[in-house]
Structure formats: structure tokens, C-alpha cells
Amino acid sequence: MTIERTTALVFLICALAVPAMISGFVTFQLTMLLIYAIAIMGLNLLTGFNGQFSLGHSAFYAIGAYTAAILMDQFGIGYIWTLPAAGLVCFAVGFLFGFPALRLEGTYLALATFGLAVATPQILKLTPLEHWTGGVQGVFVMKPNAPFGLPLTSDQWLYYLTLAAFVLLYVLAKNLVTSRTGRALLAIRENPIAAQSMGINVSLYKTLTFGVSAAYTGIAGALGAIVIQFVAPDSFGFMLSVTFLVGVVVGGIAWLPGAIIGAAFILFVPNFAEDISKGLSGAVYGIIMILLIYVMPSGAGGIVSSALRVLRSR
Amino acid sequence: MTSPVASIRDVAMRFGGILALDGVSFDIGPEQIVGLIGPNGAGKTTLFNCLSRLYTPTSGDILLHGRSLLGRPAYSIAALGIGRTFQNLALFPKLSVADNIKVGGHAEIAGDFISDALRLPRARAGARELDRRVGAIVDELELGALAQRLVGDLPFGTQKRVELARALATNPSLLLLDEPAAGLNHEEVDELGGVIRRIRDGRRISILLVEHHMGLVMSLSDHVVALNFGRKIAEGTPLKVQADEAVAAAYLGGTAQ
């Protein structure tokens, strides 16, 4: 417990101090890292803790991003308010999608969510929706400045806003997974029939988890739209879903702090691969991923938990 | 006679062309240990699954404290007072012993996504109450030293004890034990007999016991029901059922005329 608390405190202090020491571009990159971490955390609640596969989280990210962009662009709503709005919209969509998902397990659920990921960008391009979504062109949004005359650049302000959202969502998720609800989620993952006989309403928990997971990823999408100041259908393709899943696995299944490590991996390793070889960057990324799965099959979370076990048994 | 805790009334269960249960009826009285015996495939586990609403009988009715269970969803059965173990263990292997048992207490405390995420006072009060209850059960079944171990890492006999503890955490008025002695050695079986009796006496609950270990069933049960090919072939005191010709024939593979 103390190790965890200390680590969290050190992380927070570093995260608060770092924008003063780095360039605007790196601040932007770290903001994106936190945004991806929120999305990965959401997917981990669903896949890691509850055992429901999703290849469709790019769709929830897209819905969150568009909700934010449309609310700002068409209705002139303040960007802060688009975050809870995106969360609520995605909760509703995820919760509803959770019902047909109840009938599907493992690979079949993966396939159904894959369908969601493939369909969403094309739906966003549809002509009848063009007035709202801007069709293929997408929607531009204004970059917000720091409020209350704070001496921060726009990049720095967005970084702190995203950090606050991340910390809040992390604490909520941490409370959730260490509670009665979290035990129910894990029990359903481990053995749904036994979970049911112990009094857990499996259908309700699975659909609600789908909703909560989608809400997290949707909030990440909304933050992404504000930070990048632009949404377009093709940035939310199926590959984004796979990227989130890579983040979950690299960070560690059912280990929340892994979201930061997973996000760092999906953000920086492709660039690193490109530095090594421009022409073969995909191959380098692929090989790094294969090696990683061999070396640490249970992700960063697995390494940390076995290290902690060694420390504690001494 | 006092009214029964549970009544199985003319229950039939058909899977395709197979009649797994064929008009089975019997009662389980208050604070009674009822032994359910019969050769493999007699329908014992099917009956258990009907009682815990994993199956819906093709016909017949099951009453708990005089009220039908059949309209109730499977997840509500624990709250209604039926706890169970499973024949081939159905634990949560990657959860600790304590967490496995706590899942058994899920319906015993209040909580929901929002109060748990915000750690509202009612969620914290529930967690404390559950800690207290689970602590008592852990002590009762002598699992204290293992509470933080992952269930999947423990030997089979210990896992069975954890499953029993988890069933007790549902705070049942009727406990269903599906072959609790299977896979245990001689000493462990003797110990189990004492544990089951203590559970009944201490909590004043009824127990339905499916078991192949005849010595254990006959020494524990107040009442024995014998099934074969989905039908009840005998019922009564252990002595009476032991002496029954149809029961002997069923176990020796013959057919009673």
C-alpha cells in the first residue's frame, strides 16, 4: 500500500512540474499520452476486469470526439461541458450495445465490436449528417486559452486539464475495482455461472460495464478533439481500436496504472520504430511487439506485481 | 410436522430426448440434512441446477418457504436463501481466498457502481460489514493463513473448503452441497462430516447433500432420497434406504423388479 501511495505521489509531482521544463510540442505529446491512457483505462475495465472483448472502442472514441466538436461548433457550448456530455452520450451508446453483446462471447463479441469500429467512420461521413459532422471534411474547433488569466500557454492549460481528468477518472476506477462492484466484475470474468449463483446480476453488470467503459473512452475522445482542434472520420478507424487493445495488453490486463505505460508504448514506440528504419517501421514495431509478448506476457502489470511479491516476501 | 423449508414437487426435466428428471418430489425440513444419492447420471446435479435456477424444469414446481422459485432469475436465488457448491469446483481462480468468499456475500450488502466509485458512506459501511462476516467464516473454516493467496494456487481439498466458505457467505437458509467429499482423502472426509454437522447446528439451516461416499451420507443425513434414471426410487431414514432392494439393485447395475 505504501509503495503504491508513494509511486502515485511521485507521479503526480512529476506530472505537475514537467510542463515548465519542456517545449510546447512535448507538452502536447504528453497530453495525448494522458488522453490515450484514459481510453486504455476504459477498455481495461471492460476487457481486463470484466473479460468482455472489444475491437470497437475507436467508435466510442469517435462518438466522444464528435459529441464535443458538434456541441462546440453548432451550439457554442463551453469545451469543459463537452466532457461530461461526451461521457453521458457514450455511456448510453455503450450500455445499449452491451445488450446484444450479452449473447456473444469471446471471438464472437470481438467480431461484433469490430463491426461497430468499421461502421462508425462511414456513418459519420453520411450526407444527411453532414450538417452536423461536416462529412469527409470533419469539424474544426477553437483552441481554448487558459482561463482566469492563468500564466499558462494554451498547450500547458490543456495538459493540466487532461491531467485533472485523468486523475479523477483514475481515482473513480480504482475505487470501483477495489469495491463490491469490482469483485463482481472479476467474478463474472472468472466464472459467470458461479457469479450468478452468488447473487450477481451478470447481465446488469456486463451492460453497465460496457457503458462505463465507453464513457471513459468517449471522454478521452472529447479531450482529443479539443486538444487536436479537429475531428475527421478517418482518424477513428479500426486501427485505433487495435492500438487501444495493444495499450491494455502492454500495460497489463486488469492493472489500472498500466494505462500510462500502455499509452506511452502506443504513442512513442511507432516513432521509435520509424527512427530505426523509415521503410520498415511497421516491421520493427511488429517485432518489438512480438518480443514484448514473449518477454512479459502479462504486460508491465505482471512484472510489477511479481516484483512487489518478491519485495514483500523478503 | 412443521412446514418444509423447500419442497420439490413433481419436477421433470427434459433435455432433447433425455428425461433427466421424471416427476421427482420430496421435502426438506427445517434444520434437516437430506442426503441425495444415486448412481452417476441419476439426475442429482440436474436437480441441484433446477434448485439454483440454472435450469428451468420442464414441469413441476419448486417451493422455498412456501413460495415458488420458478419465476425468479438465477441471480436472485442467493438473496432468497439458497447457497451452493459445485461438483467440479466453480471458484474464481485469479482472485484471493478472501475475495472469493466476499463474492459469496455480494447480495448480503448494498452497493452499486456510483456509490462504489465515489466511496459513499453506504459503500464503505457495506465493505466493513462484509469484512466482518467474511472474517468470521474464514476463522470458522480455518482459512486464515491462506486468506490472501490466489485460489488457483491452492490444493484441491483446500479449494473445496474455500467453495464451502463462499457458499456460507451467501448466508443461506438452505445449503446445497454437490459432492463435497469427492477427491478428499480419508481423514479429510471425517473432518468434513464434523464441519457439515457444525454448520447445520451452529446456523440452524437445512442442507441438501449430494454424495457418493455412502459412509458420510448415511452418518450425516436425517433423511435420504435415492434417485435412479431421473426417478425417485426410495426415500426415508438412512437405515430404511440402505435396506431398500431397489437402491441396492441400482448401485449394482441391475434393475429392480
Side-chain angles (χ1 to χ4, degrees):
Chain A
M1 213 57 197
T2 46
I3 299 178
E4 283 157 30
R5 289 248 163 103
T6 318
T7 317
L9 202 65
V10 170
F11 168 79
L12 206 57
I13 291 168
C14 293
L16 286 170
V18 84
M21 305 171 217
I22 54 178
S23 71
F25 179 68
V26 181
T27 308
F28 165 78
Q29 278 192 316
L30 290 182
T31 310
M32 286 313 292
L33 189 154
L34 290 170
I35 289 171
Y36 284 151
I38 293 171
I40 289 168
M41 208 152 52
L43 183 56
N44 210 346
L45 285 173
L46 184 73
T47 303
F49 287 89
N50 200 210
Q52 299 192 74
F53 256 98
S54 172
L55 288 173
H57 266 49
S58 59
F60 300 124
Y61 190 88
I63 294 168
Y66 269 90
T67 303
I70 292 170
L71 284 177
M72 286 187 280
D73 183 53
Q74 303 272 337
F75 300 94
I77 287 173
Y79 61 97
I80 297 274
W81 300 109
T82 68
L83 300 179
L88 284 175
V89 168
C90 287
F91 175 83
V93 176
F95 181 67
L96 292 177
F97 191 83
F99 281 96
L102 285 175
R103 301 187 162 273
L104 305 169
E105 303 235 340
T107 40
Y108 298 98
L109 182 55
L111 215 64
T113 50
F114 172 67
L116 192 65
V118 172
T120 303
Q122 295 211 320
I123 291 171
L124 290 170
K125 286 182 209 168
L126 282 179
T127 322
L129 298 175
E130 212 164 284
H131 172 67
W132 308 94
T133 62
V136 215
Q137 306 290 324
V139 183
F140 285 92
V141 297
M142 292 277 285
K143 193 169 198 171
N145 288 316
F148 322 120
L150 287 172
L152 296 172
T153 67
S154 188
D155 282 331
Q156 286 172 335
W157 161 242
L158 287 177
Y159 168 83
Y160 283 119
L161 178 70
T162 308
L163 181 65
F166 172 79
V167 171
L168 176 70
L169 291 171
Y170 179 85
V171 170
L172 291 179
K174 179 81 188 169
N175 286 346
L176 199 66
V177 301
T178 50
S179 71
R180 170 181 181 270
T181 301
R183 271 193 309 273
L185 300 190
L186 291 168
I188 291 167
R189 181 192 77 187
E190 296 283 295
N191 192 326
I193 289 176
Q196 199 160 36
S197 292
M198 297 305 131
I200 295 168
N201 185 344
V202 173
S203 308
L204 182 69
Y205 274 86
K206 283 176 99 168
T207 45
L208 282 174
T209 307
F210 227 111
V212 170
S213 170
Y216 268 65
T217 306
I219 292 171
L223 282 164
I226 296 166
V227 169
I228 298 176
Q229 304 155 63
F230 175 59
V231 292
D234 291 325
S235 22
F236 308 122
F238 159 67
M239 261 317 280
L240 186 63
S241 286
V242 178
T243 307
F244 291 153
L245 207 58
V246 170
V248 168
V249 175
V250 169
I253 296 282
W255 190 59
L256 288 174
I260 291 283
I261 298 163
F265 184 89
I266 62 174
L267 198 63
F268 296 123
V269 174
N271 293 346
F272 171 72
E274 205 150 296
D275 284 347
I276 291 181
S277 160
K278 271 231 154 12
L280 285 173
S281 63
V284 173
Y285 185 53
I287 288 167
I288 293 174
M289 211 138 50
I290 291 168
L291 284 177
L292 210 72
I293 294 303
Y294 267 101
V295 178
M296 36 185 244
S298 44
I303 290 186
V304 170
S305 63
S306 42
L308 281 177
R309 216 171 300 142
V310 171
L311 270 174
R312 277 174 189 157
S313 65
R314 261 203 269 170
Chain B
M1 190 188 155
T2 48
S3 60
V5 170
S7 302
I8 288 92
R9 294 206 179 149
D10 206 21
V11 167
M13 181 80 219
R14 183 184 286 282
F15 295 106
I18 296 162
L19 201 55
L21 289 173
D22 186 4
V24 175
S25 297
F26 63 92
D27 285 348
I28 302 166
E31 295 179 48
Q32 233 184 11
I33 297 181
V34 175
L36 187 60
I37 62 166
N40 286 325
K44 305 181 298 290
T45 296
T46 304
L47 185 64
F48 258 45
N49 287 341
C50 288
L51 271 162
S52 50
R53 294 289 296 117
L54 298 178
Y55 298 160
T56 299
T58 316
S59 64
D61 202 355
I62 297 172
L63 308 181
L64 185 72
H65 303 297
R67 271 186 289 178
S68 176
L69 282 183
L70 297 187
R72 307 292 196 130
Y75 68 79
S76 70
I77 294 302
L80 291 173
I82 298 184
R84 71 167 294 178
T85 66
F86 292 80
Q87 193 177 345
N88 299 313
L89 290 176
L91 286 161
F92 312 119
K94 288 189 181 157
L95 268 61
S96 71
V97 169
D99 279 343
N100 266 272
I101 303 171
K102 280 182 182 179
V103 172
H106 181 86
E108 291 294 302
I109 58 165
D112 54 74
F113 272 71
I114 292 174
S115 46
D116 281 347
L118 297 174
R119 294 188 49 130
L120 295 183
R122 77 191 211 106
R124 278 181 298 180
R128 275 195 302 274
E129 170 66 15
L130 191 58
D131 278 339
R132 195 183 60 73
R133 289 189 190 203
V134 167
I137 293 169
V138 163
D139 290 343
E140 183 181 347
L141 293 183
E142 292 165 11
L143 289 163
L146 305 168
Q148 297 313 316
R149 295 274 299 277
L150 295 187
V151 156
D153 297 341
L154 298 174
F156 186 75
T158 314
Q159 291 195 7
K160 296 212 86 153
R161 206 140 39 98
V162 176
E163 213 191 23
L164 179 59
R166 187 182 67 178
L168 288 180
T170 64
N171 194 19
S173 53
L174 172 62
L175 180 61
L176 311 178
L177 301 177
D178 201 349
E179 301 198 16
L184 301 188
N185 65 35
H186 217 72
E187 257 169 61
E188 287 172 326
V189 171
D190 285 345
E191 206 185 302
L192 179 70
V195 169
I196 292 174
R197 207 174 273 124
R198 272 204 302 283
I199 287 171
R200 190 266 309 262
D201 296 343
R203 293 159 192 267
R204 311 187 63 180
I205 62 175
S206 309
I207 295 175
L208 180 63
L209 174 69
V210 163
E211 191 45 72
H212 280 303
H213 195 293
M214 281 305 139
L216 185 70
V217 183
M218 295 304 172
S219 69
L220 276 180
S221 303
D222 304 304
H223 192 82
V224 176
V225 175
L227 297 182
N228 194 24
F229 295 117
R231 288 166 184 266
K232 184 170 81 180
I233 54 171
E235 176 177 12
T237 62
L239 276 177
K240 182 182 164 217
V241 172
Q242 263 175 313
D244 193 285
E245 279 176 24
V247 175
Y251 272 93
L252 294 174
T255 41
Q257 297 304 316

